[in-house]
Amino acid sequence: MSQPATVSERLDALPFTARHRRLLLGSGVGWALDAFDVGLVAYVLVALKVQWDLSATEQSWIASVGFAGMALGATLGGLLADRIGRRQVFAITLVVYGLATGAAALSWSLLALLVFRFLVGLGLGAELPVASTLVSEFAPRRIRGRVVVVLEAFWAVGWTLAALVGFWLVPASDDGWRWALALGAVPALYAVVVRWGLPESVRFLLARGRTQEAERVVAQFEAAAGRSSDVPLVPDLPAPATQGIWSDGLRRRTAGLWLVWFFVNFSYYGAFTWIPSLLVADGFTLVRSLEFTLLITLAQLPGYAVAAVLVEAWGRRRTLSAFLVGSALSALAYAAADSPGAVLAAGAALSFCNLGAWGALYAVTPEVYPTSVRGRGTGAAAGFGRIASILAPLSVPFLSSGGGTALVFVVFGVAFAAAASASFLLPERRGMALD
């Protein structure tokens, strides 16, 4: 008689199939739409500074209030994902931030825009860690890191789309920023596709005693690989019921994740939210600033491509630390740049390295936790990181007034170096089954 196989054994034995591609594409489109919304803010800030005569502090609040919503959303989304399911939370968050973004296009005052941006962040913050957890729990372990990095690469697609819309649409008219934000309502419609087109996590279903549903999902993935099995599906050994993300076995990795997430968020959102405005402040025309930002954004895609290879060849931790060191050096080069060519080269290098680091970070984060706390652990790390993304846009006007763009990027370089140091607290999980 055949022996029972655990969830990990059945899923890890599969090749990468059309079912995996459908899951990756379905989650990735939602991810790209998220990036489109976040990336668009940088262009909207430039337009509103002129139209609404906003101060630098008011501009920074527009960026930061969205990240405040993301901090709360990431924490709540992770908790809900462990309670009601990954797919359910994914769909709900798409609706929330899609409708809120569309409403933001109708903003009649700064206060109204701040309220809508907070709601956008609430949905957006919950979606990202949930999507990466869902994809990670289905991907075969030999390529799991690469698959999650490819998912994260959809961020570059969305951010590039935001750069194109920001470059062509925002400056086209006084209402250009409104039309750009209105496009953000698309995720509300896409939520229907997510709700009915993507599978629920098998590990979550088993943890909730929904064995028959789990069997059907695994059978669908096995059929896509041309395999059939009558082997009973049994759960992996569960983690102790009292285990939390700060328990003895998880404390070190949780601390490492929180530190890396914090410093990466601080530097990334501080830099890329403000680059268009900083370029204008340094004497670039609006059109030239948006053109440079678009070119810098395009460097994100090869960064993800290289990270997707290295997370399996080098491992997650080594790849993450290498890209963080590269980000630190690129930020210092940007601080020292004294010509348009040097600014563009340093900005592109920063974009390449920083987004490669993001890919590796999203690959490693779900892997360090067992299924029972994977959603909340991933969400809590992202939520803590969002605190830094709130602080970063607020700090840029202060740093810029004290030492110009150079001081801003020196501080970001130091933060990247701190993240690289913290990455050594993380375990290496390449090629290992999920707990």
Side-chain angles (χ1 to χ4, degrees):
M1 187 175 71
S2 59
Q3 296 296 315
T6 67
V7 174
S8 293
E9 290 169 348
R10 294 267 295 265
L11 292 177
D12 288 341
L14 296 175
F16 190 80
T17 68
R19 280 275 175 179
H20 291 102
R21 282 193 296 272
R22 181 179 178 183
L23 171 63
L24 180 59
L25 180 61
S27 301
V29 170
W31 201 287
L33 293 171
D34 291 353
F36 174 78
D37 177 86
V38 177
L40 203 58
V41 173
Y43 301 91
V44 171
L45 288 178
V46 176
L48 289 181
K49 175 177 174 59
V50 176
Q51 291 187 30
W52 288 5
D53 192 26
L54 299 180
S55 67
T57 300
E58 288 172 329
Q59 286 180 282
S60 63
W61 273 112
I62 292 174
S64 290
V65 74
F67 297 131
M70 291 175 73
L72 180 60
T75 303
L76 293 178
L79 290 171
L80 287 174
D82 286 336
R83 290 180 177 272
I84 67 174
R86 289 41 163 153
R87 181 182 64 176
Q88 295 279 62
V89 175
F90 191 14
I92 292 170
T93 56
L94 285 169
V95 172
V96 170
Y97 97 81
L99 293 178
T101 302
L106 305 175
S107 297
W108 55 90
S109 67
L110 176 60
L111 178 59
L113 182 59
L114 290 174
V115 171
F116 290 133
R117 290 305 305 170
F118 177 81
L119 295 175
V120 168
L122 195 65
L124 178 60
E127 188 273 321
L128 294 176
V130 172
S132 62
T133 298
L134 179 62
V135 171
S136 182
E137 289 181 333
F138 274 103
R141 68 180 178 185
R142 63 189 175 279
I143 57 169
R144 185 173 59 237
R146 184 169 300 164
V147 171
V148 176
V149 174
V150 172
L151 169 67
E152 165 67 0
F154 279 89
W155 184 269
V157 175
W159 200 283
T160 301
L161 180 61
L164 290 171
V165 170
F167 180 69
W168 293 108
L169 186 57
V170 171
S173 69
D174 288 345
D175 289 329
W177 66 271
R178 294 185 185 274
W179 287 111
L181 288 179
L183 293 175
V186 172
L189 301 176
Y190 186 68
V192 178
V193 177
V194 171
R195 176 63 183 84
W196 299 110
L198 299 183
E200 181 54 270
S201 166
V202 174
R203 291 174 170 87
F204 169 80
L205 292 173
L206 286 173
R208 291 296 172 183
R210 294 156 63 178
T211 307
Q212 290 185 338
E213 292 178 65
E215 285 279 7
R216 284 198 298 269
V217 174
V218 173
Q220 290 169 355
F221 275 78
E222 289 177 330
R227 300 178 182 180
S228 60
S229 175
D230 57 359
V231 178
L233 185 67
V234 297
D236 298 309
L237 291 175
T242 57
Q243 187 178 35
I245 62 173
W246 289 103
S247 61
D248 289 343
L250 300 177
R251 186 179 299 125
R252 176 187 171 93
R253 57 188 68 182
T254 295
L257 278 179
W258 282 34
L259 289 171
V260 175
W261 274 87
F262 184 90
F263 288 116
V264 171
N265 270 276
F266 183 84
S267 297
Y268 175 77
Y269 286 109
F272 288 93
T273 300
W274 274 98
I275 278 179
S277 298
L278 289 173
L279 288 172
V280 171
D282 289 339
F284 290 81
T285 65
L286 175 61
V287 173
R288 187 70 163 166
S289 167
L290 298 180
E291 179 186 356
F292 267 42
T293 305
L294 173 60
L295 293 174
I296 288 172
T297 300
L298 291 174
Q300 295 182 7
L301 285 168
Y304 283 124
V306 174
V309 174
L310 293 182
V311 290
E312 302 298 355
W314 281 7
R316 282 68 155 138
R317 186 173 60 190
R318 187 182 298 178
T319 301
L320 175 60
S321 60
F323 273 106
L324 287 172
V325 170
S327 298
L329 296 175
S330 299
L332 296 178
Y334 195 102
D338 57 1
S339 68
V343 168
L344 184 59
L350 178 61
S351 184
F352 174 91
C353 293
N354 196 181
L355 276 297
W358 272 117
L361 182 57
Y362 269 104
V364 72
T365 300
E367 292 182 340
V368 304
Y369 292 112
T371 299
S372 61
V373 294
R374 185 171 296 122
R376 74 192 68 177
T378 303
F384 185 75
R386 298 307 175 192
I387 297 174
S389 63
I390 298 168
L391 299 175
L394 294 172
S395 70
V396 169
F398 172 77
L399 293 171
S400 182
S401 64
T405 300
L407 178 60
V408 171
F409 281 88
V410 166
V411 171
F412 292 156
V414 172
F416 278 127
S421 299
S423 68
F424 288 96
L425 295 172
L426 304 177
E428 179 54 63
R429 302 284 298 172
R430 178 180 57 165
M432 300 176 67
L434 291 177
D435 292 339

